Amino acid sequence: MGMDRIADRAIIDGKRFAAGLLDDITARVKKLEEETGQVPGLAVVLVGEDPASRVYVGSKHRQTLAAGIASFKYELPAETTQEELMALIDRLNVDPAVQGILVQLPLPAHLDANAVIQEINPNKDVDGFHISNAGRLATGQPALVPCTPLGCLLLLKDRLGANLSGLHAVVLGKSNIVGRPMVQLLLAESCTVTIAHSRTRNAPELCREADILIVAVGRPGLVRGDWIKPGAVVIDVGINRVEAEGKSRIVGDVAFEEAGHAGAITPVPGGVGPMTIACLLSNTLTAFCRQHAVNID
């Protein structure tokens, strides 16, 4: 199919929405401090020297402080043992100044990431990866929700309105970080949900039926224009670095230039990415309010 220019009105500006969400969080944290004399605390644990992780942690630290949330950063050497890391988690679990705990992934290969995640107090699990939170989300109970799917849902509601009931959503990708929790969030909104993945035999046909198409597979340009139904809302979670003509650039899982007939689409970068840290801070505030039984909505 021909390349369609994407109208500005069709582009979902995640950077703008995230900035508004951060402003709201900052105002609510200030109100919380005025009313209770306390602010939420977020502890971020980084093990090793992974360059991308170090950048992410630095960005989280700066935005946490900017929102008025207390930030506790723990940078551990790559040779940290499982026992040492678990001991730190145990200390943070009972630290009254800390309402949210995040362990930056990936961890060095000798560490068991799943065991570390399950060691975190589920009430402080602001990444939403603990099996208790996954189970609560799957059964429709209040849970701390993984940040990226939560950000996707907020962008969808901003574009489509609060009522998503009856819309057909296709989620491409079945990871525990995005795909599976995204399905649960959409089911809770009374969408009709199909999940597709690398073993799905008719993925293009399924995607063409979607009113909402969420793509999180980590394969640059996998979803072509003819996979997208005219008027569909497309949320591209992919962040892929590709090399072309000696230059490096970031692209999504959707062939963006071919999606001019979509009703709306998130760009990469500038779409879902900025929402993740904003939703992390939102989760930290939510965790504080639940732990202290306060309501500042």
Side-chain angles (χ1 to χ4, degrees):
M1 65 182 299
M3 298 293 184
D4 296 316
R5 185 179 181 279
I6 298 172
D8 288 343
R9 61 178 173 75
I11 295 176
I12 299 173
D13 189 345
K15 190 173 182 180
R16 176 199 60 78
F17 189 93
L21 180 56
L22 286 167
D23 285 345
D24 177 65
I25 292 166
T26 303
R28 293 171 66 199
V29 169
K30 184 177 180 180
K31 181 181 177 184
L32 181 69
E33 185 174 20
E34 290 171 351
E35 293 183 357
T36 70
Q38 298 177 284
V39 298
L42 173 64
V44 177
V45 180
L46 173 66
V47 184
E49 300 294 331
D50 182 82
S53 292
R54 189 163 287 280
V55 170
Y56 293 150
V57 167
S59 180
K60 288 169 183 173
H61 178 67
R62 289 190 298 274
Q63 293 198 44
T64 300
L65 292 175
I69 294 173
S71 180
F72 306 97
K73 187 165 59 170
Y74 295 85
E75 298 184 355
L76 307 180
E79 59 271 17
T80 298
T81 66
Q82 187 82 19
E83 293 73 19
E84 289 169 335
L85 182 52
M86 298 290 242
L88 172 59
I89 300 299
D90 290 340
R91 292 197 298 274
L92 296 174
N93 280 340
V94 297
D95 187 339
V98 173
Q99 284 75 45
I101 302 169
L102 180 148
V103 177
Q104 183 66 45
L105 302 177
L107 290 172
H110 68 281
L111 296 173
D112 183 344
N114 186 60
V116 170
I117 290 167
Q118 302 313 320
E119 190 73 9
I120 297 172
N121 179 338
N123 296 324
K124 296 188 177 187
D125 166 41
V126 286
D127 253 343
F129 295 159
H130 193 284
I131 194 168
S132 174
N133 281 314
R136 293 180 68 84
L137 178 62
T139 52
Q141 300 177 64
L144 289 170
V145 178
C147 301
T148 299
L150 180 58
C152 293
L153 182 65
L154 293 175
L155 291 177
L156 281 173
K157 287 188 167 186
D158 184 58
R159 180 52 61 119
L160 292 172
N163 184 9
L164 305 181
S165 178
L167 295 177
H168 183 195
V170 173
V171 178
L172 193 56
K174 61 175 184 176
S175 75
N176 290 333
I177 295 173
V178 180
R180 293 173 195 251
M182 193 75 245
V183 167
Q184 302 301 337
L185 286 172
L186 291 165
L187 286 173
E189 298 294 331
S190 297
C191 291
T192 299
V193 186
T194 302
I195 186 164
H197 44 79
S198 61
R199 301 296 177 89
T200 299
R201 295 180 181 177
N202 59 337
E205 290 84 355
L206 287 173
C207 290
R208 278 193 285 271
E209 297 175 2
D211 304 308
I212 296 167
L213 178 59
I214 296 173
V215 188
V217 291
R219 291 179 59 185
L222 172 70
V223 174
R224 313 306 301 185
D226 63 359
W227 292 35
I228 300 168
K229 183 170 81 171
V233 175
V234 182
I235 305 292
D236 187 351
V237 184
I239 300 177
N240 310 286
R241 185 175 294 279
V242 297
E243 304 286 337
E245 301 177 355
K247 295 183 179 180
S248 174
R249 63 191 183 103
I250 301 294
V251 301
D253 292 344
V254 177
F256 185 79
E257 297 82 1
E258 299 179 19
H261 57 292
I265 184 169
T266 56
V268 178
V272 174
M275 294 296 295
T276 300
I277 292 180
C279 288
L280 169 66
L281 300 185
S282 179
N283 275 352
T284 303
L285 180 57
T286 297
F288 179 98
C289 291
R290 289 178 181 171
Q291 291 168 41
H292 292 269
V294 298
N295 187 352
I296 54 166
D297 289 330

